[in-house]
Structure formats: C-alpha cells, structure tokens
Amino acid sequence: MRLQNSTLLLLIGGAFGIPAHAGGSWSATGTLAHPVQQLIAGAHDNGEVAGGELVRVAVSLALRNKPQLESLTAGIQSGQSQPISDAQFMAQYAPTTAQVQQVVSHLQQNGFRNIVVAPNNLLITADGSAATAYSAFQTKLHRYNVNGRQAFANTADVKVPSSLSGIVLAVHGLQNAHQFHTAFHAQAVSKASTGVIAHKPADFPSIYNAASLPAAKNSVAGIIAEGNLNQTVLDLNNYAKSAGFAAPSVAIVNAGSPSSDTSGIVEWNLDSQTILAASGGGLKQLQFYVAPSMNNSDIAAAINAAVSANSAKVINVSLGECELSALYSGMTASVDQMLQAAIAHGQTFSVSSGDSGSYECGGGTAYQSYPAVSPYVVAVGGTTLTTTGATAYSSEKAWSGGGGGPSATEAAPSWQTSAGVLGTSKTRRGVPDIAFDADPSSGELVLVQGSTYQVGGTSLAAPLFTGFWTRIQSANGNKLVSPNTAIYKYFKANASLYHDVGSGSNGAFKAATGWDYTTGWGSLNVANLNAFVAKTAGF
C-alpha cells in the first residue's frame, strides 16, 4: 500500500518543524537516544543536521497477543504445535488495519511521503527529513564523524503520541552511525600449512557427510543481501556450470529502491555459491531479499520481506552489528518479533556469529553480534577445518575470529537453559549454537568476476548450515521447523550427530568438551543427523 501526503500537511508538519501533536502527550518507543560517542571511540559531534536533509524511516509495529504467540512458537519448536498459515498469523498476531492506519496518518500529518506498508503490517517505510523526524518523533539528529565517515544519529529517545503507545515498537533510520556489516575475510589463493587447505564449494558436502543425501530440489532457500546483485547472479550461473550443476532458479526481491552498490559482491557470491553447493546443486529456487543499504531501516525491511513472503524455508544472514547498538536503536525488539513470526511460519534463519571473536563491539569486554543472539535464529560460529586431501574430514578447532559468548542483551531461551550448558551465564542467551569452517586459511574458493578468491569468516559457516539444512528439509518433505530446541534436547546424548570441537579459543572463551561459547555443539554430521531426524518425532 502506498499513500501520499498533501502539500499542505508537508508545510505544516515538516518544513517548519512544528510537531503535529504539540501540546499532546507522548510515549516512549524501543528506540533510544543513540550513544554514538560512548560506543564508538573518537566519534566527534559536528552539530545538528539541517532540517531539510532527507531521512528514510522504517516504523516497526508491535505484534498482538504476544503471550499466545510465545506459547505457539515454543510449541512449534518443541514439535508440539504446527506452523500457522499467513491468514492465521494476520488474523491473530499481526497489527490490525486500524492500527496501521493510525501510524500512516501520523506520518502523513508530519510531512512524510512515499509511505509503504509491508504485507504483514509489521513495518511501515516512509521518506521524510530531519525536520519531519523531529515533528513526528521528538528527536533532533546530529552529525558525527565516525572514523572518517560522516554519519548521523538521534540525540533523544524516540517518542510517538500516546495514542500510538503499544502500537509503534521502534523507529529505524534515525541513525546510521552503526550499520550492519558482512562477516567474511578474503585472501589470495594459497595453501596455508600441511592439512589446512582451501576448498571448492562442492567439497563441503563430502567433508561434512552430506553427499549421500539427495539434492534439495524441493526446497527454497533465501539470502538477506544488499546492493546490486547482477554480477552475483552472473557469477552464480558461471559457478554452477563449472561445477556441473544445472543453472539455478534465482529470484531478486528488492526491499526498497534498487541500489547500485556492488561493494558486497564477495559476500553475496560466497553465500550463494556455498548454499548451492551445500544443497547438492539442485535448489528449487534461491531468493535474494535485497536491502538498498546496510542501514538498520533497510536491513530490517529486507528481513521482514523474507518473513512476509513466507516462501524460503531457510534464510541466510551473513550480517551483524554490535548487540548494544541493536538494543539502543530498537532493532533487537523489532527484528526479534519478525524472526518470531518466521518461527510461526515454520521458517529457519541461519545467522553468522561474527568475525571479531568474543568482542563484536570492540574494546576488552565480551559482547556479541545481533541478530546472532536472537533466540529465534540458529547462530553459526566458526572453526578451523583440517582435512585429509580435499574432502575427507580430519578435525576442527575453534577459529580465533568466530563470534561467541553470552549475550548482554538477550535472555537465554528455555531450550538452552534446560540443556544446562550455559555455566555461570545461565540466564543469558549463549552463542553460537553450532559451527562450521570459517578460517580463511581453510576457507572456500569463490568465483568473483572470473577470478578465484579464498574466502573465510562465519559468512562461510552460516551458508554451509543453510545449504545443509535446506537439503535435510527437502529430504523430509519441508515439514521441519527451526531445529534449536531439538539440537539442545538431543545432541548431548547422540554424539554421532556432530563433531565436537574441544580446542582453540575466540578471545575470552575456550573450546571444551560438549557445548561451549566458541563453537556451540560443533559442526554437523549431516547424513547422521538426517537419519536421526527421519526417525525422531518432533525434531
């Protein structure tokens, strides 16, 4: 739905910065004053942003009947309930049409234009200015020099009229000092040391015992991406041809105006070529949900597009940001509910745990990456893989760059606390859940514009799981749900389902027997897991 505001309202609510609800009462949202200078060393405040400077916002609306949804998604993950249809979700949990209209009216009255409502009513995007942002949300924007980059951020907590309290959850797009970033490391093609070599994408199914499974011809996988994907699709087709795979079916879904940015090409090539190979070279379709930038508002829109479409059974996110920034900006609250909606649909999100070791937010305190810490995703950490030859598994140790540790912002879900693996941080969500190869020295040979790059990072680990889980999904009639509850329930007593990683560290944490804060449970033995899934009710 697209609604245009009138010129009169633009003048009244925007150009003069006069709040349309001046004199009325205002309520807090989940978006707080962004502490740029506290989170980014050396950031310099250059003063207020000019009122006419353009701003694109994404307003997150709160789900309804949250306690019932919590019960439903817990039941789905434990195998006690079935995923619900889109129509059921809209009727029972999505914001109502009337609530949407209230928010749209508020945006219109304060000078926003190009207002678009997401099909599931969870997100409303709109174009405005610094002045309309002040009018609508009671915060001024300041300009900051952030490590040589010019950025802006809101200086006050974001508020909405009290009539929208409980409807508006958060507002994104009012800061870009913190953005999402990829999690890969590329280097020249070379052998690192004896037994530690780079691998072709098609090597990994043999390494992790997935080659005996049929290709995922009945399943759809998704990738959250950014920018222009034309070269990535061309490279994917060329890779498929070189590997002996049929040309893959690809769909591009733009979550916003198409962008010309190609800076992420190595990332999107890594994701797509890895998923295609790990899934056996025969996906029903690979869907890219594409953000126009790495700003929070655009990444939230891309994630929500994948959830709203409810087409891809497994969605890869090789992106993240400091969990503290996600909390302050309201991303934790708003994206968590999108990811919970995905659980209700029966979708699985596979998210890289980050490449900064245990210190995603910098400094000497252990913080983690968002959305890896969300309780509604499978967080995938990193290992250094050793093989005999190119395709025979030998061993793994924790990769020093792999994100992992207790979350400072998310509580531990019941399926994790009940497993008794979290130690002294037993009330905090622990990541990762599992891990795969991520060390650049044992990484993947990725085709980019006719050249080959050796690439690692947890941006390799996450699409490996995405491809393997898509393959298991296809083998089981696409009836499986996000596997975290089952993983924590069954892995401890079934060691043949995974490769336990017991050595190495990621900074603050060391690998140990069983689950740990560097590699979770370790990497999967895919064929063994598939056989276990097939005979285990509720997996």
Side-chain angles (χ1 to χ4, degrees):
M1 176 168 58
R2 186 178 293 270
L3 302 169
Q4 300 285 350
N5 57 283
S6 70
T7 303
L8 177 61
L9 289 174
L10 175 61
L11 290 173
I12 294 175
F16 299 108
I18 302 171
H21 291 269
S25 59
W26 295 80
S27 296
T29 70
T31 301
L32 306 179
H34 206 76
V36 178
Q37 293 174 295
Q38 286 74 28
L39 296 180
I40 303 176
H44 180 71
D45 188 338
N46 291 328
E48 188 175 345
V49 171
E53 187 154 339
L54 298 180
V55 173
R56 180 171 176 79
V57 299
V59 182
S60 172
L61 276 61
L63 288 165
R64 294 179 295 125
N65 302 320
K66 195 67 185 293
Q68 293 92 323
L69 182 60
E70 292 284 356
S71 178
L72 172 68
T73 53
I76 290 171
Q77 289 184 288
S78 65
Q80 303 302 308
S81 303
Q82 294 298 313
I84 60 175
S85 69
D86 292 341
Q88 289 173 310
F89 177 80
M90 294 301 295
Q92 298 176 45
Y93 304 111
T96 66
T97 301
Q99 290 175 327
V100 167
Q101 188 55 53
Q102 283 182 262
V103 179
V104 168
S105 295
H106 177 63
L107 293 171
Q108 287 179 313
Q109 290 165 14
N110 287 278
F112 283 89
R113 60 194 184 279
N114 298 330
I115 301 170
V116 179
V117 180
N120 62 3
N121 290 354
L122 289 183
L123 205 67
I124 301 175
T125 56
D127 295 330
S129 66
T132 62
Y134 176 69
S135 172
F137 306 119
Q138 296 289 279
T139 180
K140 293 184 182 297
L141 307 181
H142 274 217
R143 179 79 59 191
Y144 294 88
N145 185 308
V146 178
N147 299 322
R149 176 174 67 90
Q150 291 300 305
F152 63 87
N154 55 298
T155 58
D157 294 350
V158 172
K159 298 178 181 179
V160 292
S162 295
S163 60
L164 298 181
S165 177
I167 298 176
V168 172
L169 186 65
V171 181
H172 307 304
L174 300 179
Q175 71 85 23
N176 65 359
H178 283 95
Q179 298 175 304
F180 276 73
H181 57 83
T182 56
F184 75 88
H185 293 268
Q187 62 185 43
V189 176
S190 64
K191 289 189 176 182
S193 60
T194 302
V196 182
I197 60 175
H199 299 279
K200 297 177 181 179
D203 291 343
F204 288 106
S206 295
I207 293 168
Y208 289 113
N209 193 23
S212 62
L213 274 67
K217 294 182 179 180
N218 300 316
S219 294
V220 176
I223 296 173
I224 304 301
E226 179 269 344
N228 187 304
L229 275 292
N230 291 341
Q231 186 64 48
T232 289
V233 174
L234 179 61
D235 288 340
L236 179 62
N237 284 321
N238 289 335
Y239 165 70
K241 184 177 181 180
S242 71
F245 300 145
S249 172
V250 173
I252 303 292
V253 181
N254 284 302
S257 299
S259 166
S260 61
D261 182 21
T262 58
S263 62
I265 182 174
V266 175
E267 176 63 71
W268 320 130
N269 285 25
L270 173 64
D271 286 352
S272 56
Q273 292 172 31
T274 302
I275 291 171
L276 182 64
S279 64
L283 282 167
K284 183 177 181 180
Q285 190 171 63
L286 183 59
Q287 300 172 345
F288 292 90
Y289 293 89
V290 187
S293 79
M294 288 291 194
N295 290 345
N296 282 359
S297 55
D298 291 334
I299 296 299
I303 290 172
N304 192 56
V307 176
S308 181
N310 192 18
S311 176
K313 290 294 293 184
V314 191
I315 299 101
N316 187 83
V317 185
S318 293
L319 300 168
E321 68 174 348
C322 165
E323 63 175 324
L324 298 180
S325 172
L327 179 69
Y328 281 110
S329 64
M331 286 290 281
T332 302
S334 63
V335 174
D336 265 7
Q337 70 170 16
M338 297 172 192
L339 298 169
Q340 187 176 19
I343 296 289
H345 292 324
Q347 295 174 295
T348 299
F349 270 77
S350 168
V351 181
S352 59
S353 68
D355 288 4
S356 300
S358 53
Y359 305 109
E360 173 64 28
C361 299
T365 302
Y367 292 111
Q368 303 310 310
S369 178
Y370 186 85
V373 294
S374 171
Y376 305 112
V377 308
V378 177
V380 188
T383 70
T384 299
L385 172 68
T386 301
T387 59
T388 302
T391 60
Y393 182 92
S394 178
S395 65
E396 287 171 283
K397 64 179 181 179
W399 176 51
S400 60
S407 171
T409 61
E410 297 270 23
S414 60
W415 42 262
Q416 199 166 45
T417 56
S418 63
V421 297
L422 296 177
T424 56
S425 299
K426 61 184 178 180
T427 63
R428 312 308 306 169
R429 165 73 159 119
V431 293
D433 300 305
I434 56 173
F436 284 101
D437 184 27
D439 190 329
S441 67
S442 60
E444 181 173 281
L445 301 174
V446 179
L447 180 65
V448 182
Q449 294 179 300
S451 299
T452 301
Y453 292 81
Q454 184 172 328
V455 188
T458 55
S459 281
L460 168 59
L464 281 172
F465 172 70
T466 298
F468 292 145
W469 190 245
T470 303
R471 204 163 180 166
I472 294 175
Q473 274 280 12
S474 185
N476 290 274
N478 291 312
K479 296 179 180 179
L480 304 180
V481 299
S482 188
N484 266 342
T485 296
I487 285 174
Y488 281 84
K489 180 179 179 180
Y490 292 116
F491 270 30
K492 193 171 186 178
N494 294 276
S496 68
L497 304 182
Y498 61 99
H499 307 109
D500 191 9
V501 179
S503 64
S505 73
N506 69 349
F509 305 102
K510 295 181 178 179
T513 300
W515 187 92
D516 56 64
Y517 286 117
T518 63
T519 64
W521 291 102
S523 62
L524 302 181
N525 184 315
V526 179
N528 287 6
L529 177 60
N530 180 65
F532 185 83
V533 167
K535 68 180 182 181
T536 305
F539 198 103

